[in-house]
Amino acid sequence: GAKCWIDDRAVRYTPRVDDLTEVYREACVVINPTIAGTGLKVKTAEALAHGKPLVAWPNGVEGLEYTEEPPYVECHSWHEFGAAVVRLLRSEREAKILADRARSYAREQFSPSKVYGSLGACLREHPSRDNESEPGNNSLACMRNETC
């Protein structure tokens, strides 16, 4: 297929890697230019979990709930998107604030108790009606939303 190539020393092309830990460690800013799709974007969650400043379109941060300042920069035009990336690359202070916010958000929102809490509560509240001796049978009622 067609390849996009930018001749710039600041841009490094990396082939597919199995473990992104080192890539995220070296990244100053992470972008998610996703403009379509459904559900929570895995790359967005990964960037926040790695405590990285994130620049994204509204679709790239869809599904994230927050009550304070967002843990990312949400952009509504390509000009705004590019300007946000450049701003974060130039301002270590702003990038650090956003990185700290991302780390804090990920710790709170992606913890096992937060992610699986409501399912666990449902499973404990409604033991299996079919066969209580088999663990997990009560999950069918919760998945069908019959009792929760």
Side-chain angles (χ1 to χ4, degrees):
K3 292 186 179 186
C4 175
W5 187 265
I6 299 170
D7 188 16
D8 186 329
R9 291 181 298 125
V11 176
R12 184 177 69 195
Y13 292 90
T14 305
R16 178 176 161 72
V17 294
D18 292 325
D19 182 4
L20 292 173
T21 303
E22 185 62 27
V23 175
Y24 275 110
R25 188 178 2 264
E26 293 179 8
C28 297
V29 175
V30 175
I31 64 170
N32 188 345
T34 304
I35 58 172
T38 59
L40 180 65
K41 308 308 177 281
V42 173
K43 295 302 176 200
T44 293
E46 285 178 349
L48 297 175
H50 280 90
K52 292 298 175 176
L54 173 69
V55 178
W57 278 89
N59 187 266
V61 294
E62 183 179 64
L64 297 180
E65 298 174 4
Y66 58 91
T67 55
E68 298 175 15
E69 289 291 317
Y72 49 80
V73 177
E74 181 178 334
C75 300
H76 299 271
S77 73
W78 288 116
H79 177 77
E80 184 182 359
F81 194 95
V85 171
V86 170
R87 189 177 70 246
L88 288 169
L89 289 172
R90 289 184 176 165
S91 173
E92 286 183 39
R93 182 183 154 282
E94 187 176 354
K96 181 175 179 347
I97 289 168
L98 205 54
D100 291 344
R101 210 181 289 158
R103 236 182 319 279
S104 175
Y105 180 87
R107 262 194 307 272
E108 179 185 317
Q109 297 297 317
F110 303 151
S111 69
S113 61
K114 179 78 173 186
V115 172
Y116 301 111
S118 60
L119 176 60
C122 182
L123 293 174
R124 286 187 299 279
E125 186 177 327
H126 303 286
S128 171
R129 291 174 282 179
D130 301 328
N131 185 351
E132 291 187 18
S133 65
E134 288 188 40
N137 278 351
N138 52 350
S139 62
L140 292 176
C142 290
M143 286 189 286
R144 288 188 300 240
N145 202 21
E146 291 177 357
T147 57
C148 300

